Amino acid sequence: VRCLEFRRVLFRSEQAREKEQSAAEKPPADAALPPAETKAYEAALNQFKLGNYPLAISAFQGFLVTYPQSKLAPSAQYWIGNAHFAQRDYKQAVAAQQRVLASWPDDPKAPDAMLNIASAQEAMGDRRGAQKTLEALLAKYPQSQAAASAKQRMAPAPGAKK
């Protein structure tokens, strides 16, 4: 019962964080991206915001096929992972976020992808794997906002035995 409640709380906090991120996710105007590219990305992101996760996945995958060299490609792959997570398809979420790390390890989305991998591992009951992922996140991206979140998640719960 505690594990189930933890998963619910974790899922809600992930959803809240995703909404905050998606609100700030608009492509930068100074990036001078072609209008069609920006429009395709925003259309996919809007599907995610509306909770149409299968449509968002499809739209982001189409975006990646059409614009594989886009500056928005890492973000598109990241949102594919988030959409899988939102559907509780944790294995696909991990695989999608691992693609972010493999293809764009220096992108600002990479630390968040690692944090999402840890969340999916935790949701699947793999606490050790989640712990290792959080430790790797701290080692690889120590100055990131995701690292700050990882530190909080790794801290023992108040009143927990050490």
Side-chain angles (χ1 to χ4, degrees):
V1 175
R2 278 186 168 159
C3 185
L4 186 59
E5 184 59 28
F6 174 77
R7 286 182 183 177
R8 283 190 197 124
V9 169
L10 180 64
F11 183 70
R12 285 187 199 121
S13 68
E14 287 295 320
Q15 281 186 318
R17 192 167 61 82
E18 287 168 9
K19 285 186 181 180
E20 285 174 15
Q21 289 174 338
S22 69
E25 193 62 30
K26 290 249 179 188
D30 62 333
L33 295 171
E37 185 176 331
T38 301
K39 195 172 188 175
Y41 178 85
E42 288 180 352
L45 188 59
N46 285 336
Q47 291 302 316
F48 181 90
K49 289 177 186 178
L50 292 170
N52 297 331
Y53 303 120
L55 263 152
I57 292 167
S58 179
F60 279 125
Q61 287 171 335
F63 177 87
L64 289 170
V65 168
T66 307
Y67 306 103
Q69 301 303 316
S70 172
K71 291 179 181 178
L72 296 173
S75 292
Q77 184 62 49
Y78 170 83
W79 288 110
I80 289 170
N82 284 351
H84 283 299
F85 187 94
Q87 295 179 104
R88 300 181 181 188
D89 186 350
Y90 304 120
K91 286 184 182 182
Q92 286 297 316
V94 168
Q97 299 297 10
Q98 285 174 334
R99 281 187 213 107
V100 174
L101 297 174
S103 300
W104 304 280
D106 298 323
D107 189 82
K109 285 290 184 205
D112 292 321
M114 285 188 86
L115 192 61
N116 290 346
I117 289 170
S119 296
Q121 289 169 321
E122 184 72 37
M124 290 187 290
D126 182 8
R127 288 199 173 129
R128 276 198 186 130
Q131 184 74 17
K132 286 181 181 180
T133 300
L134 293 172
E135 290 168 1
L137 166 57
L138 288 170
K140 189 160 185 172
Y141 307 104
Q143 301 304 314
S144 67
Q145 184 62 41
S149 296
K151 284 178 190 170
Q152 287 180 330
R153 285 170 54 174
M154 291 173 67
K161 293 182 181 178
K162 291 185 182 179

